[in-house]
């Protein structure tokens, strides 16, 4: 208001409205409190009446009262606006620290203090720490940690009520400590107001407003700071709930992932179970099991009998698959017998359910092996019984014998060879303590010897039975050894069959096996004694091989030349003659030549062509041509001593048989 306006107002008649006018203008302009004294001072200076001055004084007091009320309302409006903004921030809480900083900033601004700060309890350490500071300049103050019950904050926390001090260092209502006092002194604080942050009955921290000069905090300011403290407590509680919710959600996500993984693993396990069940039902083998598990586990799985011994033994002892380098090994065992192992290649990290899958596959593999062994043993017994009947029960019905053989895929009408097989007693694998230490005698040695010999014979019988099964033949344990009845394929000979059998059985039992074979036998069911005679011939051949030091070999009677006549049970003279000089006999019969007579003369003349031509009354070239023809028929070695002896014997037997043929 200008001086002229004031003068005019003062000089005007002393009415109530005239006295109020200058003060209304001051209120409208929002003038400072000191400006309300000027209208009264000017009136006195101009010497207006006392009544006029009294009216102005009354109007001034009313105007100041209105001004104070307006300022209070504006302040409350600002406080409410700050509280509303804080509540809005809290409603959209994303960052608890940002909300707490905003609360502290607004508290400092509205209360007009130098510093505002917020401390929170630390249950783990049993003290409180500065969470947020605003307006602080001292590092030590910002890093203060207060023990429970220490300082003004300790008093607030203990009583859960606001406390204010006009002069911190002279106030003895709370416990001072050197650490806290040093921090407050560094910050230069004097007047401090603290209000509790409460959640239910618990105090979780304190919100402070402080000045670096003495100050009296009004009740409205204490209430305002308390409102901010309530919002801060709500923000902290909401943040904690959000943290717990997020943690729970993360835990649920992890649990969901685990459930999905477990579900996938269980599905794989179910798939394996279905596949293994199908394999068992359709008669699959151990390699089919390994292939199925390989496909489900997406890694190479194989059945082997050569896995690392330590790992296999550990797996059998523990009953679980064990890790070996980058592989997993599951023992395939039945009772105390180890049958092999399933090996999972290249999977150092194996899920427990996948490990269980591998172990179940090993169990199924052991069951399959046992089932096959039982079936094989049953078939072996059946084959053995049939061969026993052929060797002993000569009055059996041939038709029934053929039917029994057909069920075993054997054809008794085809040519067969009877083979007698026996282990060499000097073989290290089968020799007992008596072989290793001959000086030991008595019952201490006899029992182990008998057990080892019986075990060796069982291995030989098992190997022979397996060979007979795959060759569509028969096998049985007999006379301390094994007898086999095997079909003779076209183009094969009894000798070659005997040698192959000796090698195969020896490799199977890892020992020396000697095999003697009979001549081929035809019509096994027609001649009841044919198998018996052939078996005796094979045994004599076997004995001859061992006497001649040919253990581990296989041979037939035909390999011994004229000695074979002594070994043969039926003294097959015609067969010996046919095998030795049959081609020469056939040549003479077909072409009308005299090769046989030339051979007789040649041997009678001491194998001299010159004397032979005199004996036959032919030219020496004729003798040479006939002998060349014999070479082509009998082979290059026919004149060697051993072979020549057999040829001479065959010629003599042929001559002796001629009258019978005529």
């Amino acid at each position: 208001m200008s001086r002229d306006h004031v003068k005019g107002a003062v000089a005007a008649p002393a009415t109530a409205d005239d006295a109020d006018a200058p003060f209304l203008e001051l209120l409208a302009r929002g003038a400072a409190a000191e400006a309300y004294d000027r209208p009264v001072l000017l009136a006195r200076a101009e010497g207006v009446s006392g009544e006029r001055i009294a009216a102005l004084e009354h109007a001034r007091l009313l105007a100041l009262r209105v001004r104070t009320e307006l300022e209070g309302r504006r302040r409350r409006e600002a406080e409410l606006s700050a509280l509303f903004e804080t509540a809005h921030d809290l409603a959209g809480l994303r960052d608890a620290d940002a909300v707490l900083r905003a609360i502290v900033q607004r508290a400092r601004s509205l209360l007009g203090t130098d510093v505002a700060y917020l401390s929170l309890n630390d249950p783990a350490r049993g003290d409180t720490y500065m969470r947020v500071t605003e307006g602080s300049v001292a590092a030590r103050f910002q890093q203060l940690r207060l023990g429970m019950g220490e300082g003004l904050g300790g008093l607030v926390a203990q009583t859960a009520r606001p406390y204010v001090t006009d002069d911190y260092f002279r106030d003895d209502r709370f416990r001072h400590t050197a650490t806290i006092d040093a921090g407050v002194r560094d910050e230069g604080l004097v007047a401090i107001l603290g209000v509790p942050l409460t959640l239910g009955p618990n105090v979780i921290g304190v919100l402070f407003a402080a000045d670096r000069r003495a100050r009296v905090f009004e009740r409205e300011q204490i209430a305002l700071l308390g409102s901010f403290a309530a919002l801060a407590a709500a923000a902290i509680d909401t943040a904690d709930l959000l943290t717990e919710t997020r943690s729970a959600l993360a835990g649920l996500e992890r649990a969901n992932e685990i459930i999905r993984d477990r579900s996938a693993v269980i599905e794989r396990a179910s798939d394996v179970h279905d596949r293994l069940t199908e394999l068992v039902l359709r008669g699959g083998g151990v390699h089919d099991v390994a292939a199925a598990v390989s496909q489900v586990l997406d890694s190479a799985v194989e059945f082997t009998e050569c896995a690392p011994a330590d790992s296999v033994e550990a797996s059998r002892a523990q009953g679980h698959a064990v890790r070996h380098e980058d592989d997993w090994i599951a023992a395939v065992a039945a009772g105390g017998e180890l049958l092999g192992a399933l090996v999972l290649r290249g999977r150092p990290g194996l899920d427990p359910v996948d490990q269980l899958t591998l172990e179940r596959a090993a169990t199924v593999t052991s069951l399959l092996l046992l089932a096959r062994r039982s079936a094989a043993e049953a078939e072996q017994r059946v084959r053995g019984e049939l061969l026993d009947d052929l060797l002993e029960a000569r009055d059996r019905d041939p038709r029934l014998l053929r039917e029994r053989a057909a069920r075993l895929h054997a054809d008794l009408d085809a040519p067969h060879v009877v083979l007698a097989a026996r282990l060499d007693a000097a073989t290290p694998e089968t020799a007992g303590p008596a072989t290793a230490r001959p000086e030991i005698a008595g019952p201490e040695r006899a029992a182990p010897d008998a057990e080892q010999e019986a075990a060796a014979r069982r291995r030989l019988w098992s190997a022979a039975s397996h060979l007979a099964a795959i060759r569509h033949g028969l096998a049985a344990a007999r006379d301390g050894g094994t007898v086999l009845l095997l079909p003779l394929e076209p183009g094969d000979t009894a000798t070659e069959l005997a040698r192959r059998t000796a090698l195969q059985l020896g490799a199977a039992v890892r020992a020396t096996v000697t095999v003697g074979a009979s001549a081929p036998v035809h019509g096994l069911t027609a001649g009841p004694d044919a198998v018996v005679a052939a078996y005796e011939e094979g045994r004599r051949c076997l004995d001859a091989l061992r006497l001649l030091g040919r253990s581990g070999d296989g041979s037939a009677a035909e390999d011994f030349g004229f000695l074979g006549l002594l070994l043969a049970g039926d003294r097959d003279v015609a067969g010996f003659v046919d095998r030795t000089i049959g081609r020469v006999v056939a040549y003479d019969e077909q072409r009308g030549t005299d090769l046989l007579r030339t051979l007789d003369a040649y041997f009678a003349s001491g194998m001299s062509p010159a004397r032979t031509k005199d004996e036959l009354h032919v030219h020496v070239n004729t003798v040479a041509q006939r002998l060349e023809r014999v070479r082509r028929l009998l082979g290059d070695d026919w004149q060697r001593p051993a072979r020549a002896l057999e040829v001479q014997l065959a010629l003599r037997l042929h001559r002796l048989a001629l009258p019978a043929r005529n």
Side-chain angles (χ1 to χ4, degrees):
M1 178 181 290
S2 67
R3 187 178 184 85
D4 293 337
H5 285 134
V6 174
K7 287 183 178 180
V10 172
T15 65
D17 291 340
D18 291 340
D20 293 341
F23 298 106
L24 291 175
E25 185 176 352
L26 290 174
L27 287 172
R29 290 193 298 115
E34 294 81 4
Y36 289 79
D37 293 333
R38 294 181 65 187
V40 178
L41 294 176
L42 288 174
R44 287 177 178 172
E46 293 177 356
V48 297
S49 64
E51 183 181 356
R52 175 68 177 173
I53 291 174
L56 289 173
E57 285 286 355
H58 179 69
R60 183 181 70 83
L61 293 174
L62 291 176
L64 287 174
R65 188 180 302 168
V66 171
R67 179 181 179 279
T68 301
E69 183 66 23
L70 289 174
E71 286 184 350
R73 293 193 177 192
R74 281 195 295 269
R75 186 175 61 253
R76 285 193 292 275
E77 181 181 352
E79 292 171 354
L80 290 173
S81 177
L83 291 173
F84 176 78
E85 290 176 358
T86 302
H88 182 270
D89 292 343
L90 183 58
L93 179 64
R94 292 295 181 271
D95 183 354
D97 287 336
V99 174
L100 293 178
R101 282 194 298 271
I103 289 174
V104 173
Q105 289 172 356
R106 290 166 184 160
R108 180 192 176 206
S109 175
L110 291 175
L111 269 68
T113 58
D114 297 322
V115 181
Y117 53 98
L118 184 147
S119 67
L120 292 179
N121 296 349
D122 186 348
R125 296 183 55 172
D127 62 3
T128 64
Y129 64 98
M130 293 290 188
R131 177 69 178 268
V132 182
T133 62
E134 178 68 23
S136 172
V137 295
R140 185 190 305 187
F141 180 79
Q142 297 169 12
Q143 298 171 3
L144 275 178
R145 297 192 73 94
L146 290 68
M148 294 297 185
E150 296 177 353
L152 178 63
L155 181 62
V156 173
Q158 282 182 338
T159 60
R161 295 173 55 190
Y163 271 88
V164 62
T165 176
D166 299 336
D167 191 338
Y168 176 84
F169 292 102
R170 293 183 179 180
D171 197 332
D172 58 0
R173 290 177 300 167
F174 47 84
R175 182 156 58 93
H176 290 263
T177 66
T179 302
I180 300 175
D181 288 354
V184 174
R185 190 174 288 109
D186 286 352
E187 192 64 52
L189 300 180
V190 177
I192 302 176
L193 166 63
V195 294
L197 276 68
T198 59
L199 287 176
N202 301 318
V203 177
I204 63 171
V206 179
L207 178 61
F208 297 91
D211 261 341
R212 295 188 176 95
R213 54 186 172 78
R215 171 177 176 171
V216 176
F217 288 94
E218 298 177 357
R219 183 171 300 175
E220 292 83 359
Q221 293 174 325
I222 296 173
L224 176 61
L225 192 63
S227 298
F228 278 119
L231 291 175
I236 293 171
D237 186 38
T238 303
D240 290 342
L241 290 175
L242 282 175
T243 300
E244 293 176 2
T245 302
R246 288 168 181 163
S247 177
L249 286 175
L252 288 174
E253 289 179 359
R254 289 193 297 271
N256 192 33
E257 290 177 0
I258 293 173
I259 290 172
R260 285 198 300 267
D261 292 342
R262 288 292 180 270
S263 178
V265 171
I266 291 172
E267 288 180 3
R268 290 202 305 273
S270 176
D271 187 19
V272 170
H273 180 269
D274 293 342
R275 294 191 183 197
L276 295 181
T277 301
E278 181 184 358
L279 284 174
V280 172
L281 292 177
R282 64 180 175 85
V286 294
H287 297 293
D288 295 326
V289 173
V293 178
S294 296
Q295 188 174 2
V296 173
L297 299 184
D298 195 23
S299 295
V301 178
E302 63 179 2
F303 173 77
T304 179
E305 298 178 355
C306 302
D310 293 343
S311 299
V312 175
E313 185 59 35
S315 174
R316 179 170 66 170
Q318 298 174 15
H320 299 288
V322 299
R323 180 178 170 182
H324 176 75
E325 296 178 353
D326 289 341
D327 303 335
W328 284 82
I329 296 176
V332 177
E337 183 180 2
L338 184 63
L339 305 175
L342 281 183
V343 181
L344 175 65
R345 302 291 186 188
R347 281 279 297 275
L350 190 63
D351 186 277
V353 178
D354 288 343
Q355 179 180 342
L356 181 59
T357 297
L358 182 64
E359 294 165 359
R360 287 178 176 173
T363 301
V364 172
T365 301
S366 65
L367 293 175
L368 285 177
L369 289 175
L370 286 178
R372 287 198 167 191
R373 175 186 293 180
S374 299
E377 290 176 351
E379 183 177 339
Q380 289 171 1
R381 286 193 296 271
V382 173
R383 291 180 183 275
E385 291 170 357
L386 177 56
L387 184 52
D388 285 337
D389 287 345
L390 289 172
L391 290 171
E392 296 175 355
R394 303 176 185 177
D395 56 346
R396 292 278 180 160
D397 185 350
R399 182 181 59 82
L400 294 178
L401 292 176
R402 288 193 189 93
E403 290 178 356
R404 290 171 59 188
R407 286 194 291 269
L408 298 172
H409 306 288
D411 182 9
L412 297 183
D413 293 325
H416 283 70
V417 174
V418 179
L419 303 104
R422 186 172 299 174
L423 287 165
D424 185 1
T427 302
E429 291 86 347
T430 58
T435 303
R437 297 179 60 186
E439 71 277 5
I440 300 177
E444 295 83 358
R445 189 191 65 192
D449 280 352
E451 292 177 1
Q452 291 183 4
E453 184 178 356
R457 290 177 178 175
R458 285 194 298 271
R459 290 197 301 271
L460 177 60
W461 171 73
S462 178
S465 298
H466 176 71
L467 180 61
I470 62 177
R471 291 291 309 276
H472 305 297
L474 306 175
R478 199 172 190 84
D479 299 325
T482 300
V483 56
L484 298 94
L485 180 66
L486 299 180
L488 187 66
E489 301 296 334
D492 201 0
T493 65
T495 299
E496 293 173 351
L497 180 59
R499 288 175 179 169
R500 285 199 308 272
T501 303
L503 291 175
Q504 291 169 345
L505 294 180
V509 300
R510 298 180 181 179
T512 301
V513 178
T514 307
V515 176
S518 71
V521 182
H522 300 269
L524 297 177
T525 57
D529 297 329
V531 179
V532 177
Y535 173 56
E536 294 299 330
E537 181 179 337
R539 285 188 61 193
R540 285 193 294 270
C541 187
L542 170 63
D543 293 338
L545 286 172
R546 302 179 71 181
L547 289 173
L548 294 173
R550 293 173 58 185
S551 295
D553 197 0
S555 189
E558 62 187 29
D559 300 321
F560 293 93
F562 70 90
L563 183 59
L565 294 175
L566 303 178
L567 298 175
D570 58 358
R571 302 294 189 268
D572 185 12
V573 175
F576 172 73
V577 172
D578 185 63
R579 289 192 299 270
T580 308
I581 61 172
R583 298 186 66 184
V584 177
V585 173
Y587 192 89
D588 277 353
E589 291 177 351
Q590 293 172 4
R591 292 172 174 78
T593 55
D594 281 332
L595 296 183
L596 289 174
R597 194 163 68 88
T598 302
L599 282 175
D600 281 333
Y602 180 67
F603 285 117
S605 302
M607 301 178 70
S608 170
R611 288 196 293 271
T612 302
K613 61 97 174 173
D614 294 336
E615 178 71 23
L616 296 176
H617 305 288
V618 296
H619 195 274
V620 69
N621 289 339
T622 303
V623 174
Q625 291 173 0
R626 292 178 179 178
L627 294 179
E628 174 61 21
R629 176 60 62 184
V630 170
R631 183 191 68 79
R632 293 179 182 178
L633 293 172
L634 299 184
D636 294 338
D637 63 342
W638 73 276
Q639 295 191 64
R640 292 181 182 178
R643 184 77 184 279
L645 179 60
E646 293 181 1
V647 173
Q648 293 178 67
L649 180 58
L651 289 170
R652 182 166 297 184
L653 292 173
H654 178 67
R655 287 197 306 271
L656 293 174
L658 287 178
R661 292 182 180 180
N662 293 335

